[in-house]
């Protein structure tokens, strides 16, 4: 459905922006609950955590490690939903 595609595309664009520039989280009020897509929500949580821990740069390995360590339920969702594909789309 077109609305679902639009929502997913928008989530990918936002996730991609914050992955490529985590310091955007300092300027914009954004929360995991702002994402409907569970994989986007999981990725956001990881990027937010990494940024709050002082990371200036974020990559896929860091996101996956963070999910595995701090958000195991979200990590399982990420894995089962082939989150690496969504992550790759978001970054590009």
């Amino acid at each position: 459905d077109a609305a679902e595609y639009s929502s997913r595309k928008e989530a990918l664009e936002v996730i991609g922006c914050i992955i490529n520039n985590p310091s955007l989280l300092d300027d914009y009020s954004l929360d995991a609950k702002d994402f409907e897509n569970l994989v986007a929500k999981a990725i956001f949580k990881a990027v937010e955590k990494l940024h709050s821990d002082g990371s200036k740069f974020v990559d896929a390995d860091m996101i996956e490690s963070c999910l595995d360590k701090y958000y195991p339920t979200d990590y399982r969702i990420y894995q089962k939903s082939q989150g690496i594909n969504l992550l790759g789309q978001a970054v590009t």
Side-chain angles (χ1 to χ4, degrees):
D1 143 281
E4 184 178 320
Y5 172 76
S6 176
S7 174
R8 178 187 159 123
K9 184 176 183 245
E10 290 167 0
L12 283 173
E13 290 171 356
V14 171
I15 291 292
C17 288
I18 63 166
I19 289 169
N20 289 315
N21 189 2
S23 66
L24 287 172
L25 293 172
D26 295 332
D27 300 325
Y28 296 96
S29 178
L30 199 58
D31 192 83
K33 67 182 176 205
D34 295 324
F35 296 93
E36 292 178 23
N37 181 289
L38 295 178
V39 177
K41 189 177 294 213
I43 293 169
F44 177 82
K45 285 181 182 179
V47 174
E48 183 178 46
K49 170 75 172 137
L50 291 163
H51 176 67
S52 71
D53 288 349
S55 295
K56 304 284 184 216
F57 170 80
V58 175
D59 65 19
D61 290 335
M62 293 169 71
I63 290 169
E64 289 187 358
S65 293
C66 182
L67 285 171
D68 186 29
K69 184 174 182 176
Y70 296 104
Y71 308 103
T73 301
D74 291 314
Y75 185 55
R76 285 190 295 278
I77 291 168
Y78 174 88
Q79 287 183 307
K80 289 183 181 203
S81 301
Q82 299 295 314
I84 192 69
N85 294 334
L86 187 138
L87 185 58
Q89 291 172 15
V91 171
T92 57

